[in-house]
Amino acid sequence: MKKTVISLAVATSLTLSFTSVQASTSANASHHQNSEQKVLKKINAEKIYQDIAYLSKKPRVAGTEAEREAATFVQKRLSKLGYESAVEPFTFTGYTPAASFSLSVNGTSYSPTTFTYSTNGNVTAEIVDGGLGTKDNLANKDVAGKIVLVQRGTITFGEKVLNAAEKGAAAVIIFNNTDGELNGTLGGANDNYIPSLAVTKEEGEKILTSIQKGEKPSGTVKIEGAVVSERTSYNVTATKASTFKKKRTNDIIVVGAHHDSVAGAPGANDDASGTAMVLELARVFKTLPTDTELRFVTFGAEEVGLLGSEHYVSELSEDEKNRIVGMFNLDMVGSRDAGDLVMNTADGTPNLVTELAQASSTRLNGAPTPFQAGGRSDHVPFAEAGIPAALFIHSPSEPWYHTPEDNLDKISKEKLQDVAEIVGTAIYDRSRPDQQGSSVKKKATFKAPHLYHEQDVK
């Protein structure tokens, strides 16, 4: 009888304990859901859309008056929301594309493209085969005073040009290794560059065949009006301190996007969409209680090499780097004609940002947003500094990426709402005062050359 009584007591205790756990779990889930609703009820895609409309009236090329106007607009919007915001200038070496450029071979005109940072010149000379333009390919070649034809691949365009210049070449023609036009960058200004143009795979192979037949083709490479000069770009910053003085974490979350665009493109999706979403999330979080510092940043000069985010990260103290638990990078988040939402991490591995976003997208949409390896945007400098970071973008990109067709009528309010909800609830999941988030800072170890967003480098 005693044994039975003991068993009954244990069973009763276990039942009560299980019931208590169930009630506690249910209460926590209910509280979590209620907290999440605070974010969801505030997000307004129409506000994001209207800011995109303003920003995409004209291209916002880094270092131009239009970019400065965009930065000022962002700063004023943040100030109107009640933030202490700032426009932070930084200098960079900028490039104005050539006003004109041409290529002819044996009197026949071609249709070349030029490289960012290619230098001016007017060269008429014999064209010789330079292989892939590596030092080994050129080691035993007589290229002095000649135009070197090289194929794309293996090393960067800039390295190919410098290797040819070191051997005394007068100009370089780089032909594509795949179908289509070749648009690229030499990676940055360099006094040792020589005039360089690009041609298609078909055109390059035609010239190469002539060389291999021993015909010694003569070419004229002409580039005029290219300008390299010091420019000023801008980052815009605003910070929301923890709502609590005593119950606050020591953590920081950064939400960022770039406000510049490429020449000739209004940049509605790339990246007025991300910039406008940063502004909307700043509005949403302004009155929400948080125990984590939130930083809202828009970067300049992303399109010419992630320069704004590089500058921002370079100015962080070691303490700040250690305190930043996540960087959410919003780039091209609103195109109606792009694919599904994905997250890119610089090294292809998960981190706190992807985990938070996958949890929020599962709650909202029933499935986690996938992630993959990918650079070419402002999350990369953060990742290189060991900060968990991820890019939010739709893949594949829309057909008019980096064209004059990237305008307001291609923007989907539904996609804007979806991304803002996923990112907003993910951030709040980590920054709401009752959250039980991990105290372990997940560090990235990715180290790599910077991957440019707008153009190929090799």
Side-chain angles (χ1 to χ4, degrees):
M1 183 66 179
K2 185 175 181 182
K3 185 176 182 180
T4 304
V5 170
I6 293 173
S7 297
L8 180 61
V10 171
T12 303
S13 175
L14 288 173
T15 300
L16 291 172
S17 177
F18 180 69
T19 303
S20 176
V21 169
Q22 278 189 314
S24 176
T25 301
S26 177
N28 286 339
S30 177
H31 187 70
H32 187 117
Q33 188 175 31
N34 290 337
S35 295
E36 199 163 70
Q37 285 300 315
K38 294 178 182 179
V39 176
L40 297 176
K41 288 179 180 179
K42 285 177 174 287
I43 293 171
N44 188 333
E46 181 62 33
K47 291 182 180 294
I48 304 174
Y49 186 83
Q50 291 304 321
D51 282 341
I52 295 172
Y54 179 87
L55 288 164
S56 62
K57 289 179 179 178
K58 56 187 175 182
R60 307 172 301 279
V61 178
T64 66
E65 177 62 19
E67 190 227 352
R68 189 193 66 79
E69 290 173 359
T72 300
F73 169 78
V74 172
Q75 188 270 330
K76 287 183 177 179
R77 289 279 282 103
L78 289 167
S79 293
K80 190 174 181 180
L81 290 171
Y83 288 96
E84 289 189 13
S85 57
V87 175
E88 301 176 354
F90 62 92
T91 59
F92 70 101
T93 302
Y95 180 78
T96 299
S100 64
F101 49 92
S102 60
L103 169 67
S104 64
V105 180
N106 290 337
T108 299
S109 295
Y110 282 63
S111 301
T113 55
T114 187
F115 293 96
T116 304
Y117 296 109
S118 185
T119 189
N120 296 319
N122 188 347
V123 178
T124 298
E126 179 187 348
I127 305 176
V128 296
D129 178 19
L132 287 166
T134 65
K135 287 184 180 292
D136 287 343
N137 290 156
L138 299 173
N140 299 314
K141 297 274 187 177
D142 177 15
V143 301
K146 299 176 182 178
I147 300 171
V148 180
L149 176 71
V150 300
Q151 187 177 29
R152 178 184 187 178
T154 305
I155 60 175
T156 67
F157 300 135
E159 289 174 303
K160 294 176 189 290
V161 174
L162 290 174
N163 289 341
E166 187 179 349
K167 292 285 291 183
V172 173
I173 301 170
I174 301 177
F175 68 98
N176 212 346
N177 57 4
T178 187
D179 293 336
E181 193 175 78
L182 173 54
N183 292 291
T185 176
L186 301 186
N190 192 312
D191 291 339
N192 294 321
Y193 286 151
I194 53 180
S196 311
L197 292 175
V199 295
T200 64
K201 181 174 182 283
E202 181 182 4
E203 290 172 326
E205 289 177 344
K206 181 180 178 181
I207 300 170
L208 181 60
T209 298
S210 175
I211 296 171
Q212 291 171 341
K213 288 181 178 179
E215 295 175 351
K216 296 186 177 181
S218 175
T220 297
V221 171
K222 189 174 183 179
I223 302 175
E224 295 179 326
V227 178
V228 175
S229 62
E230 285 295 306
R231 317 276 172 93
T232 300
S233 185
Y234 310 88
N235 290 336
V236 185
T237 63
T239 299
K240 179 183 186 292
S242 168
T243 310
F244 310 93
K245 290 186 178 181
K246 294 183 178 179
K247 288 179 58 180
R248 63 183 177 186
T249 69
N250 199 36
D251 299 336
I252 301 169
I253 292 175
V254 177
V255 189
H258 71 90
H259 55 246
D260 65 312
S261 72
V262 298
N269 192 45
D270 186 17
D271 185 31
S273 65
T275 298
M277 194 171 292
V278 169
L279 289 174
E280 176 63 0
L281 291 173
R283 185 189 70 81
V284 167
F285 279 99
K286 187 66 179 74
T287 56
L288 287 177
T290 53
D291 62 8
T292 300
E293 181 180 316
L294 303 181
R295 294 187 181 182
F296 302 95
V297 188
T298 68
F299 304 106
E302 188 268 0
E303 298 286 7
V304 292
L306 317 183
L307 303 184
S309 50
E310 281 185 359
H311 177 76
Y312 182 85
V313 172
S314 73
E315 294 290 303
L316 293 172
S317 66
E318 286 303 310
D319 175 65
E320 288 175 304
K321 291 177 185 177
N322 289 328
R323 290 168 56 208
I324 298 175
V325 296
M327 189 275 176
F328 292 74
N329 180 29
L330 306 171
D331 199 347
M332 302 171 63
V333 290
S335 175
R336 72 179 188 205
D337 299 298
D340 295 328
L341 180 66
V342 299
M343 294 180 287
N344 288 352
T345 61
D347 60 358
T349 62
N351 57 43
L352 184 60
V353 176
T354 61
E355 290 174 5
L356 288 169
Q358 286 196 321
S360 67
S361 57
T362 299
R363 291 193 301 270
L364 293 169
N365 301 327
T369 300
F371 70 89
Q372 60 193 15
R376 305 175 64 191
S377 192
D378 288 316
H379 60 298
V380 173
F382 288 85
E384 290 178 331
I387 295 169
L391 162 67
F392 292 77
I393 190 169
H394 293 103
S395 180
S397 300
E398 63 275 15
W400 25 80
Y401 165 64
H402 279 182
T403 74
E405 298 302 310
D406 181 10
N407 49 38
L408 186 65
D409 65 6
K410 311 297 194 311
I411 295 296
S412 162
K413 293 179 184 178
E414 290 75 18
K415 284 189 173 180
L416 293 175
Q417 185 76 26
D418 177 60
V419 179
E421 288 184 354
I422 290 171
V423 173
T425 55
I427 292 170
Y428 200 50
D429 189 30
R430 188 62 177 76
S431 62
R432 59 191 173 93
D434 59 319
Q435 61 87 21
Q436 300 297 317
S438 170
S439 61
V440 178
K441 171 84 178 290
K442 298 181 181 179
K443 283 284 191 178
T445 56
F446 174 80
K447 296 287 181 182
H450 301 311
L451 304 175
Y452 295 154
H453 177 89
E454 88 289 18
Q455 294 167 318
D456 294 327
V457 294
K458 67 180 181 180

